[in-house]
């Protein structure tokens, strides 16, 4: 694709990665992604904001063919999907300076072996004049690594936010056209890479209140030309209370746990609680992460394998612990054959979750009437807790 104009002397550059299906060898990308770079030509200096994943660097280099000067390469984030083409850009424009936070400088040296002499580091709030355009650098750690910053183009009120507010979508649309689709993708992205740092993200959101961007230009996905809704969505995901929702990741071997899951889903619905069950054998792990953003309660369903939880259920617990959702309650249900330590093992795997554990329901073999009654009691307890906490 060719570079595309956003405003006078401001261009989208970059690459659309239609075929990528996995990020960091971990995160599913059902809709591909894009690596957005931006060119800002001031009356005196020209800046390139971020670059592209090394796998697509030819595309950016081709777009730069008609560009006569790059004075600054702004590196908002050291992860290679944005920084990986900096060495090639420096080869072509050897006088260019890489502008980054001090932490990003060291990471870029470590990851890409960029020489120290190529850097200019910026403090929080520092500005850089390109002549008639001014870039302001706002340190925003943990979106999504500790070194990240965003860049605000003051005269045009454009926030170049890199991963922050981004979404993994491959599209030829420069701007958001389908808000629902982008909402889903942005929420998935937030859940997968930023939710663990919620308290810091909340501070970043607070910090950005001082700005009124007309455009938010992230480095993945489409550009927001009406950005208020995505800023509001982030506020809800990060600061808003959990919702009246139970997320129920489960796995079943001989149907006993599945029968319990089905019963609990039905009992929760009767008690007015929304449920999102995820059969972990077929689940897109990104969808599970996204559901965890709002979950008031998590219930893990697992049979006992040998003496502990099924390994797939253990993976779900590990994931939830790593992602640190704002969930307030947790329980465990499932079946066992001859004993085991399912509850103790799972409970020991979630030290990061500040949750109240509600009485687990485990049954020997296939569930009987008493087990279904215990699930009814659990459903009623969850509904009561959600009501007490005003989860909507
Ligand atoms: Fe898009 Fe954290 O890289």
């Amino acid at each position: 694709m060719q570079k595309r104009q956003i405003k006078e002397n401001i261009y989208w550059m970059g690459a659309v990665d239609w075929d990528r299906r996995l990020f960091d060898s971990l995160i599913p990308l059902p809709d591909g992604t894009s690596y957005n770079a931006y060119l800002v030509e001031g009356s005196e200096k020209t800046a390139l904001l971020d670059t592209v994943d090394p796998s697509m660097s030819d595309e950016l280099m081709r777009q730069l063919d008609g560009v006569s000067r790059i004075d600054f390469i702004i590196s908002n984030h050291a992860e290679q999907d944005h920084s990986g083409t900096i060495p090639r850009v420096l080869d072509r424009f050897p006088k260019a300076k890489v502008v980054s936070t001090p932490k990003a400088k060291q990471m870029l040296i470590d990851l890409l072996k960029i020489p120290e002499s190529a850097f200019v580091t910026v403090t929080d709030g520092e500005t850089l004049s390109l002549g008639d355009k001014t870039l302001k650098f706002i340190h925003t750690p943990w979106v999504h690594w500790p070194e990240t910053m965003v860049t605000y183009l003051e005269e045009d009120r454009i926030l170049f936010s890199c991963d922050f507010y981004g979404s993994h979508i491959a599209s030829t649309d420069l701007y958001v056209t389908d808000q629902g689709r982008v909402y889903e993708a942005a929420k998935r992205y937030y859940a997968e890479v930023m939710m663990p740092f919620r308290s810091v993200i909340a501070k970043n959101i607070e910090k950005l209140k001082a700005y009124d961007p007309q455009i938010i230009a992230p480095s993945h996905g489409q550009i927001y030309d009406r950005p208020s809704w995505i800023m509001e969505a982030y506020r809800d995901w990060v600061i808003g209370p959990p919702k009246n929702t139970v997320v129920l990741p489960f796995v079943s071997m001989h149907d006993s746990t599945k029968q319990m899951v089905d019963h609990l889903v039905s009992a929760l619905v009767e008690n007015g609680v929304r449920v999102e069950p995820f059969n972990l054998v077929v689940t897109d792990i990104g969808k599970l992460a996204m559901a965890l953003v709002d979950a008031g309660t998590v219930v893990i369903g697992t049979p006992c394998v040998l003496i502990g939880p099924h390994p797939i259920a253990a993976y779900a617990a590990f994931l939830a612990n790593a992602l640190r959702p704002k969930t307030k309650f947790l329980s465990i249900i499932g079946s066992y054959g001859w004993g085991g330590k399912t509850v103790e093992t799972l409970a020991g795997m979630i030290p990061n979750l500040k949750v109240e554990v509600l009485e687990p329901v485990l049954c020997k073999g296939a569930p009987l009437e008493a087990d279904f009654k215990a699930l009814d009691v659990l459903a009623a307890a969850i509904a009561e807790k959600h009501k007490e906490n005003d989860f909507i």
Side-chain angles (χ1 to χ4, degrees), residues 34-304:
S34 69
Y35 316 108
N36 306 334
Y38 297 96
L39 187 74
V40 178
E41 294 175 330
S43 55
E44 293 170 21
K45 307 275 184 189
T46 296
L48 177 68
L49 288 90
D50 292 315
T51 65
V52 299
D53 191 86
S55 62
M56 305 200 90
S57 60
D58 284 352
E59 189 135 349
L60 179 66
M61 297 315 292
R62 195 176 40 72
Q63 290 163 350
L64 287 170
D65 278 348
V67 175
S68 59
R69 63 185 292 172
I70 298 283
D71 300 285
F72 302 105
I73 305 166
I74 313 299
S75 179
N76 285 316
H77 178 18
E79 193 165 16
Q80 292 92 325
D81 53 326
H82 309 294
S83 67
T85 304
I86 292 177
R88 282 190 69 181
V89 178
L90 278 174
D91 279 348
R92 181 162 320 167
F93 301 95
K95 289 186 183 157
K97 289 289 177 195
V98 179
V99 178
S100 73
T101 65
K103 263 193 190 146
K105 170 185 167 182
Q106 192 54 53
M107 292 173 98
L108 290 164
I109 290 171
D110 293 341
L111 293 169
L112 299 168
K113 314 304 176 202
I114 296 171
E116 190 162 4
S117 57
F119 284 90
V120 174
T121 60
V122 286
T123 55
D124 187 20
E126 194 169 331
T127 56
L128 175 68
S129 175
L130 305 178
D132 59 351
K133 295 191 187 298
T134 313
L135 300 175
K136 183 167 186 178
F137 307 107
I138 306 154
H139 289 202
T140 49
W142 295 108
V143 291
H144 104 258
W145 283 358
E147 87 299 0
T148 41
M149 67 177 186
V150 296
T151 300
Y152 190 62
L153 176 50
E154 291 185 330
E155 291 78 4
D156 297 276
R157 289 169 49 206
I158 301 178
L159 182 70
F160 298 98
S161 60
C162 203
D163 278 353
F164 205 10
Y165 301 119
S167 63
H168 284 308
I169 295 180
S171 171
T172 55
D173 290 339
L174 185 58
Y175 295 100
V176 172
T177 50
D178 182 340
Q179 192 171 311
R181 184 176 179 221
V182 175
Y183 178 95
E184 284 267 314
K187 186 175 186 181
R188 174 191 272 264
Y189 191 49
Y190 161 76
E192 289 164 339
V193 305
M194 287 179 210
M195 186 158 64
F197 315 111
R198 220 174 48 248
S199 55
V200 189
I201 311 284
K203 286 183 193 152
N204 291 332
I205 287 174
E206 196 55 38
K207 204 171 187 178
L208 291 179
K209 259 189 181 170
Y211 302 86
D212 182 22
Q214 205 174 59
I215 288 175
I216 292 182
S219 290
H220 295 292
Q222 294 146 310
I223 297 171
Y224 303 91
D225 52 354
R226 292 187 299 277
S228 58
W229 70 265
I230 189 65
M231 297 172 87
E232 189 51 47
Y234 255 76
R235 266 191 287 278
D236 179 40
W237 302 333
V238 175
I239 304 161
K243 300 209 171 8
N244 180 26
T245 302
V246 169
V247 170
L248 210 173
F250 72 94
V251 54
S252 188
M253 291 161 68
H254 297 289
D255 212 40
S256 298
T257 300
K258 176 72 164 56
Q259 286 180 42
M260 298 175 76
V261 166
D262 289 345
H263 188 91
L264 183 61
V265 169
S266 177
L268 285 164
V269 171
E270 278 174 34
N271 279 276
V273 179
R274 208 177 298 117
V275 195
E276 293 196 57
F278 290 91
N279 183 340
L280 294 165
V281 175
V282 296
T283 287
D284 165 352
I285 219 73
K287 283 229 172 218
L288 172 58
M290 189 166 44
L292 287 172
V293 170
D294 300 318
T297 297
V298 172
V299 177
I300 300 174
T302 179
C304 182

Side-chain angles (χ1 to χ4, degrees), residues 347-386:
M349 293 182 68
I350 51 167
N352 292 341
L353 300 187
K354 306 298 171 221
V355 290
E356 179 183 339
V357 178
L358 304 176
E359 187 65 28
V361 180
L362 296 187
C363 77
K364 193 160 191 237
L368 295 170
E369 199 48 42
D371 304 308
F372 291 128
K373 283 214 169 94
L375 290 168
D376 289 337
V377 171
L378 175 60
I382 291 170
E384 191 56 36
K385 293 286 184 188
H386 284 198

